[in-house]
Amino acid sequence: MSMDKDTIRGALGRVPYAGSVDVASAGALSKVSYCDGHASIRIAGGRLSPADRAALSERITLATRAHARDSGEQVEEVHVEVTDEAPTAAARHDAPTGGGHRPIPIPPKQGGAGAEKTGQLPGVKHIIAVGAGKGGVGKSTVAVNLAVGLARRGHAVGLMDGDIYGPSLPTMLGLTGLEVNVRGSMIQPLPVHGLKAMTIGKLVEPDKPLIWRGPMAHGAFKQLVEQTAWGELDYLIIDLPPGTGDVALTMAQLLRLTGAVVVCTPQKVAQDDAVRAARMFQQLGIEVLGVVENMSWFVGDDGKEYDIFGRGGAKMMAQRLGLPFLGAVPINMALREHSDSGDPTANFTDRSERNRPLVEALERLVANVEGQVAMAAMRQGLATPTLSIS
Ligand code: ADP
């Protein structure tokens, strides 16, 4: 497929504009031109705030570059101008449109225009996204164990399944049989494994495909973030969908994160995708806290360590990008079994010989993330160092 102004228009139409409205339904794309690797795009900014304009401009740039990549084209320059003109449709409604799954049946939160931009959830100290370049590398496993591990260290932790296309938390946390309560317009998170969890998997009918169009995905994510009664938290961990799609853009628009953790397996092909995920976070203005190497090695029945996928690959990738390496997690049968049976706590409490390398690896990982979050918060001015003299 070649790239021209019409295909760019098509691709940019799905970019979230504001609330749960995309650029096409807002009627905000006023001009697109493309010639010899130079794209110029004008967007009607209407009443968007300066911060929303900057985020929109970033999303448009990213979406144009993603479209170029899909079309096999080289784009040298993307010029985005967000003007004061009003978008033609000026869609003010919040109702997602189109096919796919029914929206979550929770009454919308009241709060007027101010509710459009959360910036930071009141009461939540650190929001941390867990992302990966591709599926199946253990992103959800790392998110779950990070959350459980932080909770075990005495922190108040929330875990949100932002993987709205393929939620894993109902299985990994053993949520079957638990009822979700809704009070007014707020969903009560489920108290499990010492943390508060919420997943779209508990709000839609099981086994139904979760097909979200851009604006619906945006709306579903936004509802999960803003309409869950998270309360006071030290950490909110968000398990993102794999890859570099719309949900990450929505998240960056809605929330101020302390940082993101990138999960990767050691192989070269996985690293390439993880580099893209890390670059995406950086382009969205989200600090990358570091890289986790999952499925790093395997301990056989003979007690020997086997580097099945080429242990150390993700660590080298982190070094190449100048990112902290947060730790390596071995391939471990107990980990898989505990995930399938919804008992991640057992990863930390099972002191059997076969589980020992896993406990040590997870505890190291959790401590490293804790440290990187503290340093990132200081760099970002979210926290000040404390000095105690005794
Ligand atoms: P992703 O979120 O990246 O798609 P998951 O976390 O869902 O990946 O993991 C995919 C599968 O691999 C799950 O069944 C999980 O239990 C298993 N798994 C992940 N990491 C490990 C590991 N280190 N050892 C054994 N099994 C693992």
Side-chain angles (χ1 to χ4, degrees), residues 135-141 172 294-295 329-332 335-336 339:
V137 298
K139 170 187 54 62
S140 300
T141 305
M172 287 192 177
N294 187 32
M295 308 196 197
V329 179
I331 301 176
N332 185 290
L335 176 59
R336 206 266 309 143
S339 291

Side-chain angles (χ1 to χ4, degrees), residues 53-133:
R53 284 171 187 231
L56 177 63
S57 168
E58 187 72 50
R59 288 198 299 279
I60 293 287
T61 306
L62 275 174
T64 308
R65 291 198 179 280
H67 175 56
R69 207 171 51 236
D70 294 345
S71 317
E73 298 247 351
Q74 287 284 342
V75 170
E76 279 176 38
E77 189 199 16
V78 180
H79 176 73
V80 181
E81 185 193 1
V82 184
T83 66
D84 290 338
E85 66 187 304
T88 55
R92 293 276 172 261
H93 58 84
D94 217 40
T97 52
H101 212 286
R102 273 189 309 113
I104 310 169
I106 312 287
K109 193 172 165 184
Q110 301 302 309
E116 284 298 300
K117 178 92 185 168
T118 312
Q120 185 70 280
L121 292 171
V124 179
K125 284 195 196 133
H126 300 295
I127 304 178
I128 298 159
V130 180

